[in-house]
Amino acid sequence: MTTGSPATIVEATSRSPDGSPSFAVVSGVQAERVLHGRENRIVALIEATYRLHNEGDSVNPPSYLMCFPDRPAARMIALPASIGGGLRVDGLTWIANFPENVPAGLPRTSAVLILNDHDTGYPFACLESSIIGVTRTAASAALAAGWLSRSRRHPARAGFVGTGMVARYIHAFLVGTGWSFDEVGMYDTGGVSEFQEYLEQAGAGARMVEHSDLGELVRSSDLVVFATLSRRPYVHDVSWFAHDPLVLHVSLRDLAPEVVLASANIVDDVEHALIGRTSLALAERLAGNRDFVNGTLADVMAGRVRLPRKGPIIFSPFGLGVLDLAVGKYVYDEVARTGDLLVVDDFFQGLRRYG
């Protein structure tokens, strides 16, 4: 591998100096360096991508899940996508979720993102994507929180159910885009010490409250963030939401259908959010229709959906592959601009066979 100079990096973004396709690798360290502290920029990018997707200037087929008979807890997920507009890039996010990594001291999830040239189809970059994935998730949540709270009293008390990496990033994106809280509640069956330490280091200034009772946390929070690893609903009591909170249901499977049906529901993409065994998919089976889905976040941004002033509002984002492409291309372009792109020499073989 060679590190290109600033003079040749621009040409290397999709082609080598001789015009042939090139291929680069972007590390997670580089991605984190690019994304750190740019919450407003990334949220604006996510908003623009949602608008492009809503206008039909994208391709975002269903994700593909691969399970293993010999490793029932593990799974791998492929998210193919294509986005137009000024981005014009295709690609694939490939995620591995192996819970048995944790006892061995490794994160359970790893991911890579492949970017393909819009015109030739040639892959031109491979990016470590765990940071990209959690960043687009947090940016999407912060964007939704801003739009869905516009007609209501601004939430002053935030409650986090699940306090891992996703929760930390969501909080960072909320604060980074101008939010502040009087109180931050926390609930996690595995403990909240790391989240507390993060809040202290971040200097959030909010009163921190660890809850041992989940219902108590939900009832005492104006903004509730579900960022867990649950694969089935465990929140069944509709009365917990009687104070009309805004709910960022990032983990998609925490809420029982009864809670979903008693709320206004906004998604990122209807078809994606209602597949598999998500809470919304279970609600569809119970109701026999999709009338409980008010619309997409893009519909809200375009003024096509008006939210009720009373009742809980739930945002359930599936996590679209086009968002990975947008954030990944931004990372790639920034690394290329600074001259730090790591180009793999002679990655493609046989490029001259047609003369």
Side-chain angles (χ1 to χ4, degrees), residues 235-316:
V235 177
H236 298 271
D237 195 334
V238 175
S239 70
W240 289 1
F241 302 86
H243 60 298
D244 303 342
L246 171 59
V247 180
L248 302 179
H249 189 203
V250 175
S251 36
L252 290 176
R253 293 170 174 82
D254 306 79
L255 306 177
E258 293 79 7
V259 175
V260 172
L261 295 175
S263 308
N265 291 278
I266 300 297
V267 299
D268 53 358
D269 182 283
V270 176
E271 295 301 324
H272 285 76
L274 274 76
I275 61 175
R277 295 189 60 81
T278 65
S279 294
L280 274 75
L282 298 178
E284 180 183 21
R285 295 174 197 174
L286 181 63
N289 58 63
R290 297 181 172 183
D291 296 345
F292 60 90
V293 179
N294 295 63
T296 67
L297 184 58
D299 289 330
V300 174
M301 294 189 295
R304 289 187 294 271
V305 168
R306 291 188 176 275
L307 297 170
R309 291 186 173 273
K310 294 292 184 179
I313 299 175
I314 301 173
F315 177 59
S316 299

Side-chain angles (χ1 to χ4, degrees), residues 149-329:
S149 62
R150 290 191 173 192
S151 62
R152 300 188 175 198
R153 181 171 60 87
H154 198 73
R157 302 169 299 169
F160 288 82
V161 184
T163 57
M165 185 178 184
V166 174
R168 293 195 298 272
Y169 265 73
I170 290 175
H171 181 272
F173 263 80
L174 289 168
V175 173
T177 52
W179 288 67
S180 62
F181 302 103
D182 298 331
E183 179 178 299
V184 175
M186 299 160 280
Y187 176 89
D188 196 311
T189 56
V192 300
S193 58
E194 290 186 6
F195 192 68
Q196 285 179 319
E197 182 179 350
Y198 151 76
L199 290 174
E200 292 168 355
Q201 292 178 348
R207 185 167 70 96
M208 294 182 288
V209 181
E210 180 180 0
H211 291 268
S212 58
D213 181 86
L214 176 56
E216 182 182 77
L217 177 138
V218 173
R219 290 191 296 268
S220 64
S221 301
D222 309 310
L223 172 68
V224 186
V225 178
F226 285 93
T228 74
L229 299 171
S230 178
R231 295 191 178 185
R232 59 182 61 86
Y234 56 90
V235 177
H236 298 271
D237 195 334
V238 175
S239 70
W240 289 1
F241 302 86
H243 60 298
D244 303 342
L246 171 59
V247 180
L248 302 179
H249 189 203
V250 175
S251 36
L252 290 176
R253 293 170 174 82
D254 306 79
L255 306 177
E258 293 79 7
V259 175
V260 172
L261 295 175
S263 308
N265 291 278
I266 300 297
V267 299
D268 53 358
D269 182 283
V270 176
E271 295 301 324
H272 285 76
L274 274 76
I275 61 175
R277 295 189 60 81
T278 65
S279 294
L280 274 75
L282 298 178
E284 180 183 21
R285 295 174 197 174
L286 181 63
N289 58 63
R290 297 181 172 183
D291 296 345
F292 60 90
V293 179
N294 295 63
T296 67
L297 184 58
D299 289 330
V300 174
M301 294 189 295
R304 289 187 294 271
V305 168
R306 291 188 176 275
L307 297 170
R309 291 186 173 273
K310 294 292 184 179
I313 299 175
I314 301 173
F315 177 59
S316 299
F318 180 82
L320 301 175
V322 290
L323 304 184
D324 289 340
L325 289 185
V327 176
K329 184 59 164 53

Side-chain angles (χ1 to χ4, degrees), residues 72-152:
R75 55 181 178 169
M76 301 185 79
I77 308 169
L79 281 74
S82 174
I83 189 73
L87 293 172
R88 285 171 50 87
V89 65
D90 312 324
L92 172 76
T93 302
W94 184 232
I95 305 168
N97 189 321
F98 280 55
E100 295 303 319
N101 286 349
V102 176
L106 285 174
R108 68 171 57 226
T109 302
S110 60
V112 293
L113 170 64
I114 301 295
L115 299 180
N116 294 75
D117 184 83
H118 179 276
D119 296 322
T120 68
Y122 270 84
F124 62 87
C126 176
L127 298 85
E128 197 283 334
S129 192
S130 63
I131 295 300
I132 290 171
V134 72
T135 295
R136 59 91 162 149
T137 297
S140 170
L143 177 68
W147 279 96
L148 301 183
S149 62
R150 290 191 173 192
S151 62
R152 300 188 175 198

